[in-house]
Amino acid sequence: MSSDSERFAEAEDGGPQPEKHCGHGRGGMGEEVKRKEDQRFITGRGNYVDDIKKPGMLHCEIVRSPHAHARIENIDKSRALKVDGVVAVLTAEDLLEHDLATMPTLMDDTQDVLVNDKVKFQSQEVAAVIATDRYTAKDGAQKVVVDYDVLDPVIGADKALEDDAPVIRDDIEGKEDNHCLDWETGDEEATAKAFEEADVTVKEDMLYQRLHPAPIETCGAVGDYDPGKDKLTVHMTSQAPHIHRTLFAQVSGIPEHKIRIVSPDVGGGFGNKVPIYPGYVVAAAASYVLEEPVKWVEERSENIQSTGFARDYDMTGEIAATEDGEIQAVRTDVLADHGAFNAVAQPSKFPAGFFNIFTGSYDIDTAYGTLTAAYTNTAPGGVAYRCSFRVTEAVYLIERMVKVLADELDMDPAEVRRKNFIQPEQFPYESATGWNYDSGDYEKALDKALEMADYDHYREEQQRRIEEDADKLLGIGVSSFTEVVGAGPGQSCDIAGVEMFDSAEIRVHPTGNATVRVGVQTQGQGHETTFAQIVAEELGMDVDDITVEHGDTDTDPYGLGTYGSRSTPVAGAAAAVASRKVREKAKAIAANELEAAEEDIDWDRESGQFHVTGAPDRSISITEIAAGAYMNHPKSEEPGLEAINYYDPPEMTYPFGSYIVVVEVDRETGEVEFEKFVAVDDCGNRINPMIIEGQIHGGLAQGIGTAMLEHVTFDDNGNVTGGDFMNYLLPTSMEIPEFETGHTVTPSPHHPIGAKGVGESPTVGSPPAIVNAVVDAMSHGGISHVEMPMTPDTVWEKLDEAGLSMDPADNVSLEFDDQQSGGTADD
Ligand code: MCN
Ligand code: CUM
């Protein structure tokens, strides 16, 4: 029999041990339990915001600006109000009456709920039409007449910062330019010195293009004000219901205890549902004013055009190194486009989010980074999109730059990485920019990936194709990324002024099953299963006897929601600690039931039983104890068996991985085909390997979308030119290769069950691997970078620049020549 501490030593006992699957079959840690929630999803019984129907419910349609920059001169509601079934038309003026005209963003900025005076991006919310059904609301919206005085739009951060650029944010007192923020990190002087003295320096410009998170379910809300109870319920698509409740209280002045946010099933978030959007507020405000439930659900194009976008980081990277590839310093400079409002869903203590983790997996003691951000006439920007708050951009920068350095030195990029990795014995490791990495074994993950990818074979094959002047070039890309997830320790980040923690509450019922409530919010990550597994593991219960609830601020403990892959690192820890609290109490009850002293009771993880020390057959399970907790409680204890934990993590967790991508690049068409795609991830101890695998597959697909297809684009007038799925291209199964996944396990020493997050790793780690692969196919022609998305025409231009392209006509004429000389032509 193995004791608790042998399996998963608690943090104070020197840290959690590497994963050992209990295999006790109760659905604990490490078991591939099928997702409990899938039963209802695949049988069409999910309950999404748009499924909610309430008696008397009205529908809201938002009138949006066709212009990117314009002053509103007049809004004429009269024709809309004449439409049969239209109940009300709301404008900023109406909201002002109720003090609901502006809302705070998540970053020290305010945004009009409905435009008051000046439109700042195309599709901005101008008016709202409330009607008896959705179609009537749409008809009404078309009849609202808005007179605009069109102004010059400012598109592009570089243009926005030009001296004569029109000022977008004249609503901010004293604002005379479009400058949004400045930020710097690291040691400027030491870095400059390192660059001066280095044997080799490399420099590359790269754009991390604007992306849209594109969850399958768009955003929506049902506002439901109950005048009898004076209580406002808002059902909404939310990744963070409690934060949204606090923000609603701030927006409306309604006391927080009179607001209930319900986030039912959420059909994907990917960061898109972290911010607060005007539509949510309008639905709630309309319900408050009209005293009827009001539903607002976005269309796809509204979701793409008006909700927060991601990335849009124009970066310069530089590395200083020795001749044999030892990196001595990194420097970066960023120009960021923040859109019209600083709605950035990232920790406010770091205005550039977690971008300053750009030293990556490498032991680089000198670094310096600067960033300038601008307001532009585009949708509010910089939301997190499967990215841990800008880690995506940082990882892209350093992983691209390592490849640039390797090419400059004519070294193998895997070798350059190996030379510079932070070594296992250096953890906990403090980076040059102030991060405290918890644990890592980067070389192990890289070695595993190299082996899985058959790296040496592909290097030979690559050489062969170059020598034989083959039609298709081979490229091999490597990325050995470090993520930072689990926001977070109070001192390092907060959101909307709230310090970060999360929560779990466990109630064991008299008949021996349990309800677990958490402050995080699943959008497809499988929390109903994995949180149950943590509790099953820690209490020796069966996973089927545990129900996990979330997404209702009236019943769940306050928590800060799901983003930055923080659910496992923070709420997962809370679930483990709360379970252990329950276990402590259960021990007292077990002693009572087994007529032994409490000190003589041991808990055995394998069997899930409490037993008298040295007498394993005098045992009792938590299920049997539960009744005693209520009906026969020891006099030393209160009745009942429940616990709650608010977990404030001591540190972030640092998952990592190595990805290897092999591509074929067609010299005729510029088309890129994936030949091999290997992903080795390390997220510490694993709760459910099957769910992790699913997370990796989904995230890699999004990485492929990023590298190959996706880009939100604008014309000079600020019109979104990729505002629907015909133009904003998401990868389908046709573009996704077979993934080969592997893992290593390096537990987090400070997490109660040694787990790190994993939800964003694949999206963070894969784009540089893919770009490195495409560059690698052409680097013998002197190509050092290809911008994303790497469409065939972008790639073909690079091939041409390198003298590697083949004109399709060449091939045709070649064949023709062959046929002539061979005399086999049948003409
Ligand atoms: N997990 C595990 N063992 C670990 C780590 C994680 O079994 N050591 C499991 C977790 O228990 C959870 C899942 O993997 O069921 C993801 O866990 P985690 O890494 O903690 O991430 P979160 O649950 O906090 O999810 C957030 C993350 C983010 S920020 C984005 S963006 C994203 C992502 O998850 N959005 C998603 N994956 C998504 N997957 C789906 N289907 N839909 C989204 O919107
Ligand atoms: Cu970085 S997107 Mo997720 O944090 O919701």
Side-chain angles (χ1 to χ4, degrees):
M1 246 180 236
S2 57
S3 74
D4 184 14
S5 58
E6 274 169 7
R7 287 278 190 207
F8 301 105
E10 313 197 357
E12 56 270 29
D13 306 336
Q17 305 301 306
E19 119 186 307
K20 292 178 190 165
H21 293 180
C22 294
H24 41 49
R26 289 187 303 271
M29 282 286 287
E31 289 187 39
E32 301 211 323
V33 177
K34 280 194 186 157
R35 300 200 335 165
K36 285 160 160 271
E37 44 270 78
D38 284 351
Q39 180 65 28
R40 74 172 183 279
F41 292 154
I42 60 184
T43 55
R45 292 184 174 95
N47 182 35
Y48 298 91
V49 164
D50 206 15
D51 293 321
I52 292 170
K53 294 186 183 77
K54 305 240 175 197
M57 187 170 77
L58 300 171
H59 295 259
C60 169
E61 177 73 16
I62 291 180
V63 178
R64 294 173 183 277
S65 169
H67 308 291
H69 202 192
R71 230 167 262 289
I72 293 182
E73 298 193 317
N74 185 47
I75 301 177
D76 180 0
K77 307 175 178 180
S78 60
R79 286 180 58 214
L81 285 168
K82 280 189 198 125
V83 175
D84 201 19
V86 168
V87 177
V89 178
L90 301 177
T91 62
E93 223 170 280
D94 303 302
L95 295 182
L96 268 171
E97 250 174 64
H98 298 272
D99 248 354
L100 291 167
T102 53
M103 53 177 220
T105 68
L106 292 182
M107 264 206 45
D108 299 338
D109 197 0
T110 51
Q111 178 176 344
D112 290 349
V113 174
L114 296 172
V115 175
N116 182 24
D117 187 29
K118 197 172 89 167
V119 170
K120 299 183 182 73
F121 62 93
Q122 188 187 50
S123 284
Q124 196 178 350
E125 299 78 1
V126 170
V129 176
I130 320 295
T132 46
D133 66 85
R134 205 170 170 174
Y135 306 100
T136 308
K138 264 195 182 307
D139 288 347
Q142 286 179 352
K143 296 210 153 55
V144 175
V145 182
V146 187
D147 295 336
Y148 295 97
D149 173 19
V150 180
L151 306 170
D152 281 342
V154 184
I155 303 301
D158 48 346
K159 294 241 173 65
L161 294 177
E162 284 171 7
D163 286 342
D164 55 350
V167 179
I168 300 166
R169 294 301 302 273
D170 47 8
D171 56 312
I172 301 172
E173 221 181 281
K175 190 91 191 120
E176 283 170 7
D177 56 24
N178 295 314
H179 195 260
C180 172
L181 75 91
D182 273 321
W183 176 79
E184 69 172 335
T185 184
D187 187 332
E188 181 176 15
E189 226 170 280
T191 308
K193 188 157 175 275
F195 271 86
E196 273 161 33
E197 292 170 0
D199 299 340
V200 186
T201 62
V202 284
K203 184 172 182 173
E204 196 67 57
D205 293 328
M206 55 193 84
L207 173 71
Y208 211 128
Q209 78 275 27
R210 181 176 299 221
L211 298 177
H212 172 67
I216 297 299
E217 179 201 33
T218 59
C219 296
V222 178
D224 188 7
Y225 175 66
D226 177 344
K229 287 188 184 156
D230 186 27
K231 183 154 183 172
L232 174 67
T233 300
V234 187
H235 301 260
M236 63 186 269
T237 51
S238 170
Q239 293 182 224
H242 281 98
I243 291 191
H244 285 150
R245 187 182 68 183
T246 301
L247 283 172
F248 259 106
Q250 289 171 359
V251 174
S252 64
I254 299 173
E256 200 165 349
H257 67 291
K258 291 194 173 286
I259 302 175
R260 176 183 175 208
I261 304 291
V262 186
S263 194
D265 286 325
V266 178
F270 306 114
N272 191 238
K273 292 164 182 168
V274 178
I276 192 152
Y277 295 118
Y280 299 143
V281 180
V282 168
S287 168
Y288 190 75
V289 174
L290 301 170
E291 298 192 353
E292 293 288 357
V294 175
K295 180 189 276 187
W296 163 75
V297 175
E298 258 171 6
E299 285 193 3
R300 175 62 54 194
S301 56
E302 295 181 285
N303 183 255
I304 298 184
Q305 295 179 23
S306 69
T307 61
F309 64 82
R311 323 288 198 250
D312 219 331
Y313 254 33
D314 202 346
M315 311 183 276
T316 303
E318 288 177 275
I319 286 185
T322 62
E323 253 165 15
D324 54 358
E326 202 180 300
I327 301 177
Q328 292 167 313
V330 187
R331 187 159 57 192
T332 177
D333 180 40
V334 181
L335 178 61
D337 187 332
H338 275 208
F341 297 93
N342 213 3
V344 187
Q346 58 198 18
S348 50
K349 280 181 193 160
F350 290 135
F354 293 171
F355 182 69
N356 64 342
I357 189 140
F358 62 79
T359 53
S361 309
Y362 311 103
D363 186 14
I364 305 170
D365 53 19
T366 312
Y368 180 63
T370 47
L371 176 141
T372 308
Y375 292 113
T376 61
N377 283 126
T378 62
V383 303
Y385 157 40
R386 215 164 183 174
C387 64
S388 295
F389 311 129
R390 302 272 190 210
V391 177
T392 323
E393 289 90 331
V395 164
Y396 185 66
L397 181 95
I398 185 70
E399 291 306 312
R400 276 296 299 117
M401 287 315 296
V402 169
K403 165 69 175 156
V404 174
L405 175 69
D407 284 347
E408 174 72 22
L409 295 170
D410 205 12
M411 279 178 72
D412 187 301
E415 216 34 59
V416 176
R417 286 178 168 82
R418 202 187 299 283
K419 243 193 168 112
N420 290 285
F421 280 147
I422 302 161
Q423 294 303 309
E425 63 277 8
Q426 286 177 276
F427 293 93
Y429 173 86
E430 193 185 338
S431 81
T433 50
W435 293 97
N436 286 301
Y437 292 34
D438 57 348
S439 63
D441 192 341
Y442 302 137
E443 196 158 343
K444 195 165 158 189
L446 175 63
D447 284 344
K448 184 157 190 172
L450 291 172
E451 197 193 311
M452 283 173 67
D454 207 354
Y455 189 73
D456 295 338
H457 157 76
Y458 281 109
R459 282 281 171 226
E460 280 166 28
E461 170 68 9
Q462 177 180 42
Q463 210 45 45
R464 189 188 65 77
R465 293 204 193 184
I466 292 172
E467 279 155 20
E468 291 176 6
D469 203 24
D471 292 0
K472 289 184 179 177
L473 293 164
L474 206 67
I476 307 151
V478 184
S479 154
S480 290
F481 65 94
T482 290
E483 247 268 72
V484 48
V485 306
Q491 67 278 15
S492 74
C493 52
D494 65 27
I495 287 211
V498 184
E499 296 229 323
M500 307 297 286
F501 59 85
D502 232 287
S503 59
E505 181 200 56
I506 301 169
R507 292 186 182 180
V508 183
H509 308 304
T511 51
N513 33 46
T515 302
V516 178
R517 297 197 171 97
V518 289
V520 288
Q521 168 72 45
T522 185
Q523 313 119 46
Q525 295 90 338
H527 292 176
E528 287 167 46
T529 309
T530 44
F531 280 91
Q533 287 183 260
I534 295 172
V535 176
E537 175 70 35
E538 293 295 329
L539 289 178
M541 292 178 73
D542 194 298
V543 72
D544 291 332
D545 291 336
I546 300 165
T547 296
V548 175
E549 293 182 357
H550 50 76
D552 187 338
T553 58
D554 264 10
T555 51
D556 304 328
Y558 199 101
L560 302 192
T562 289
Y563 39 81
S565 304
R566 63 188 298 279
S567 305
T568 304
V570 194
V577 174
S579 302
R580 289 169 191 178
K581 284 189 182 175
V582 168
R583 207 161 75 202
E584 267 318 297
K585 180 162 185 190
K587 236 180 185 178
I589 302 158
N592 197 39
E593 298 280 325
L594 295 170
E595 296 176 347
E598 201 181 323
E599 312 82 74
D600 295 338
I601 299 294
D602 287 335
W603 186 70
D604 175 58
R605 189 175 287 273
E606 193 78 27
S607 64
Q609 301 268 328
F610 295 86
H611 63 91
V612 179
T613 313
D617 44 337
R618 279 181 66 198
S619 64
I620 190 168
S621 72
I622 190 114
T623 313
E624 294 157 324
I625 287 167
Y630 292 89
M631 325 301 183
N632 180 31
H633 68 96
K635 294 300 158 256
S636 60
E637 301 284 335
E638 289 173 32
L641 192 54
E642 58 184 65
I644 188 164
N645 177 252
Y646 289 88
Y647 189 83
D648 183 4
E651 252 309 330
M652 311 283 282
T653 70
Y654 296 74
F656 59 93
S658 269
Y659 294 169
I660 295 180
V661 176
V662 181
V663 295
E664 267 190 343
V665 176
D666 189 322
R667 294 168 59 195
E668 248 177 48
T669 61
E671 237 168 313
V672 175
E673 285 233 16
F674 293 100
E675 177 78 17
K676 208 166 188 65
F677 208 121
V678 170
V680 173
D681 275 275
D682 192 320
C683 57
N685 286 334
R686 303 183 310 153
I687 303 159
N688 185 325
M690 184 176 66
I691 286 182
I692 293 173
E693 176 96 358
Q695 286 291 305
I696 303 291
H697 280 229
L700 292 178
Q702 288 181 311
I704 289 172
T706 300
M708 310 306 296
L709 299 163
E710 300 180 37
H711 193 182
V712 180
T713 49
F714 297 86
D715 68 14
D716 290 344
N717 290 321
N719 297 311
V720 186
T721 46
D724 53 46
F725 279 169
M726 291 302 284
N727 295 294
Y728 188 84
L729 301 178
L730 294 181
T732 70
S733 58
M734 298 301 288
E735 286 80 34
I736 304 297
E738 191 95 2
F739 298 125
E740 292 167 53
T741 58
H743 67 278
T744 57
V745 175
T746 313
S748 170
H750 62 69
H751 187 281
I753 55 171
K756 304 179 181 185
V758 77
E760 294 161 308
S761 291
T763 312
V764 169
S766 60
I770 301 167
V771 177
N772 285 348
V774 174
V775 169
D776 191 64
M778 298 185 268
S779 50
H780 62 292
I783 295 303
S784 58
H785 184 61
V786 182
E787 292 283 27
M788 303 188 290
M790 299 184 293
T791 54
D793 50 325
T794 331
V795 175
W796 196 88
E797 267 171 37
K798 285 285 169 182
L799 284 165
D800 203 40
E801 186 185 319
L804 294 169
S805 63
M806 280 169 61
D807 196 329
D810 292 349
N811 245 357
V812 172
S813 66
L814 265 177
E815 266 165 35
F816 184 70
D817 284 343
D818 278 347
Q819 285 172 350
Q820 276 197 330
S821 59
T824 54
D826 191 15
D827 51 0

